[in-house]
Amino acid sequence: MPYIVGLNSGSSFDGVDAVLCTINIDADGHPSRPQFVDGLTVDWPTELQPLIMKAFENDLTLVEMTRVNYAAGALYAQATNALLAKAGICPSQVEVLGYDGQTIYQEPPNRLKIDEYRTSDSKSLVDMWTKGGFPCGLFIAESGVVAALTNITTVTQFRPVDHALGGSGAPLMQYLDFVSFRHEGPTVTLNIGGIANLQLADQDRSKMMAFDTGPGNVMLDHVTRVRTGNAYDRDGELASCGQIIQPLLAELQAHEFFSREPPRSAWRLDFGSHYANNILDRYATSSTEDLLATLAMFTATSIERALVDFIIPKTDIRRVIASGGGTRNATLMRFLTDRLAQHSLQTCTSDAVGLPAAYKEAIKFATLAFATKNSLANNIPSASGASSYAVLGKMTFAPRLARGTEPLSTSVA
């Protein structure tokens, strides 16, 4: 079976994950469930970390952003090369490498404006973004750099095509879930990255759902960083010592985001540093432990709320399969398990089905890239709100595949 490589650095910005998998095309024409072979995580270099954080705040110049884009590509290439060296695999053995890039900005669709544009008599495609409310985003790590420095055909930028079709472009986990669970009946998966999202997978793609539930780790990590200087609350140890601040929890649960219907997506516009800093200012006398406990419970109740409101009424489910960095936060997972047990739902991690929870997002991008290279529709319109199926991703060929490099023969007249 072909080897594929996937890379991911999510909204929590806690390192670049790299995975090596094998995959094939099944008899029904769709990819088989990818088989994990190896993986590793590399940290963002200290010189890049503050620049990425400034980019999140729209505080980089165009010149700085351009150089960071290329440098991020070099980091992704470095992670790939380290993974191949670890596994003893040559670039020529890898069919394709996939990643989406580090999300810097993501703007969700404005469904009302999109509907107004589609029913208007406007013939201007430019109006789709200047007036029409279509979604957009910026995702860095230059694919030309990655392809050149790994010598592997690279697919990236999976969201823009879905955006142009009116889809949210986020989350993207639903395609891997379709591939992995289409023969098992309705399956619900949960990914807890910086933002948390739920997916309802089904063999009938018209019944599938995928949408963000609210924050995952993004606010937890921000508060930990501001209060302690550490990147995150390891194992949820600080949160485990805290008490829930009930007025704050009620305030968080009243956020405008929860009035939106799926398909919906969240980003730092909703739960980013400005929002978190406002909480830190107003609850300056609250302990770090209490703040983190409250935010962990907020993530858990947001997930519970999404399941109760949108998924449980549609299908008979008994378990939720979780993945992402949030599964390493024992306090968050304890809160979540207790909340879901009230609805007769069991919680397990995707390790139980052969997809390591820590690496599932990277596996997702490897699978999306494999589909792109094979011209397979890899979006789920019912989940994203896109108007049609499409092949997502932009492909950059490995330099080793270049043709026409032989010297031209000279002819004598």
Side-chain angles (χ1 to χ4, degrees):
M1 291 195 293
Y3 285 112
I4 54 176
V5 168
L7 305 169
N8 180 67
S9 176
S11 51
S12 53
F13 183 55
D14 52 2
V16 176
D17 296 326
V19 297
L20 179 69
C21 300
T22 58
I23 199 168
N24 217 334
I25 300 290
D26 276 349
D28 63 4
H30 295 288
S32 59
R33 180 184 293 178
Q35 301 297 307
F36 176 79
V37 176
D38 207 347
L40 56 78
T41 301
V42 300
D43 293 331
W44 281 88
T46 53
E47 63 267 30
L48 281 183
Q49 289 178 20
L51 294 173
I52 298 293
M53 296 303 293
K54 288 178 68 176
F56 290 153
E57 305 300 330
N58 193 26
D59 197 26
L60 280 190
T61 68
L62 179 60
V63 172
E64 290 172 323
M65 181 66 81
T66 300
R67 188 162 288 277
V68 167
N69 180 36
Y70 277 57
L75 176 64
Y76 278 38
Q78 193 166 292
T80 301
N81 293 338
L83 174 66
L84 297 189
K86 180 186 177 191
I89 299 296
C90 297
S92 60
Q93 294 175 268
V94 179
E95 179 168 331
V96 70
L97 181 160
Y99 67 91
D100 197 51
Q102 177 63 54
T103 301
I104 298 298
Y105 175 76
Q106 184 151 284
E107 186 175 304
N110 184 319
R111 298 293 176 191
L112 179 61
K113 286 188 176 181
I114 289 175
D115 289 343
E116 289 175 352
Y117 171 82
R118 286 174 170 166
T119 57
S120 73
D121 57 2
S122 173
K123 298 297 189 292
S124 170
L125 298 180
V126 174
D127 282 354
M128 293 168 65
W129 284 276
T130 58
K131 302 175 183 177
F134 278 71
C136 57
L138 177 64
F139 318 95
I140 66 167
E142 173 54 47
S143 62
V145 171
V146 177
L149 299 183
T150 63
N151 215 2
I152 299 172
T153 294
T154 298
V155 181
T156 186
Q157 302 286 328
F158 293 100
R159 303 179 200 270
V161 169
D162 201 67
H163 286 164
L165 294 171
S168 59
L172 286 172
M173 188 64 79
Q174 59 266 27
Y175 182 71
L176 173 59
D177 287 344
F178 166 71
V179 164
S180 298
F181 304 112
R182 67 185 184 275
H183 301 308
E184 299 184 13
T187 303
V188 172
T189 70
L190 165 69
N191 184 70
I192 311 175
I195 301 297
N197 48 73
L198 282 168
Q199 288 72 222
L200 172 62
D202 197 290
Q203 187 173 26
D204 181 352
R205 284 177 283 179
S206 69
K207 297 179 180 179
M208 288 183 62
M209 297 181 71
F211 58 95
D212 290 342
T213 64
N217 305 314
V218 64
M219 293 176 67
L220 286 161
D221 290 349
H222 182 81
V223 169
T224 302
R225 191 179 298 112
V226 171
R227 283 292 189 93
T228 73
N230 296 322
Y232 60 95
D233 179 14
R234 184 179 296 275
D235 300 325
E237 290 179 356
L238 292 174
S240 71
C241 301
Q243 300 294 318
I244 308 299
I245 306 170
Q246 293 297 338
L248 174 57
L249 180 61
E251 176 188 330
L252 294 166
Q253 291 170 332
H255 193 289
E256 181 274 335
F257 170 80
F258 298 106
S259 67
R260 305 175 202 167
E261 296 285 318
R264 67 186 185 193
S265 58
W267 181 233
R268 292 175 180 267
L269 291 173
D270 295 300
F271 301 107
S273 60
H274 290 297
Y275 185 69
N277 283 336
N278 180 264
I279 292 169
L280 285 169
D281 289 343
R282 290 186 295 107
Y283 288 85
T285 60
S286 297
S287 71
T288 300
E289 290 81 0
D290 288 355
L291 286 169
L292 292 175
T294 305
L295 291 173
M297 181 60 79
F298 177 42
T299 291
T301 57
S302 298
I303 294 166
E304 175 195 21
R305 181 175 178 176
L307 282 163
V308 170
D309 288 350
F310 304 118
I311 290 186
I312 291 176
K314 293 179 179 294
T315 187
D316 181 27
I317 59 170
R318 290 290 177 265
R319 68 172 179 172
V320 175
I321 303 171
S323 63
T327 60
R328 302 172 185 172
N329 185 320
T331 303
L332 169 56
M333 292 305 294
R334 175 167 55 84
F335 288 165
L336 180 64
T337 299
D338 290 345
R339 302 294 302 192
L340 298 192
Q342 298 176 33
H343 306 281
S344 300
L345 288 175
Q346 294 182 332
T347 307
C348 69
T349 67
S350 60
D351 299 81
V353 293
L355 298 169
Y359 290 122
K360 192 184 175 199
E361 287 194 270
I363 296 171
K364 162 188 71 180
F365 289 123
T367 307
L368 283 164
F370 179 74
T372 304
K373 193 166 183 295
N374 286 278
S375 301
L376 295 170
N378 52 2
N379 70 333
I380 309 288
S382 66
S384 72
S387 59
S388 68
Y389 285 102
V391 179
L392 307 183
K394 304 175 186 178
M395 188 158 61
T396 304
F397 287 98
R400 61 185 169 80
L401 300 179
R403 297 180 179 177
T405 60
E406 302 81 5
L408 297 177
S409 59
T410 57
S411 59
V412 178

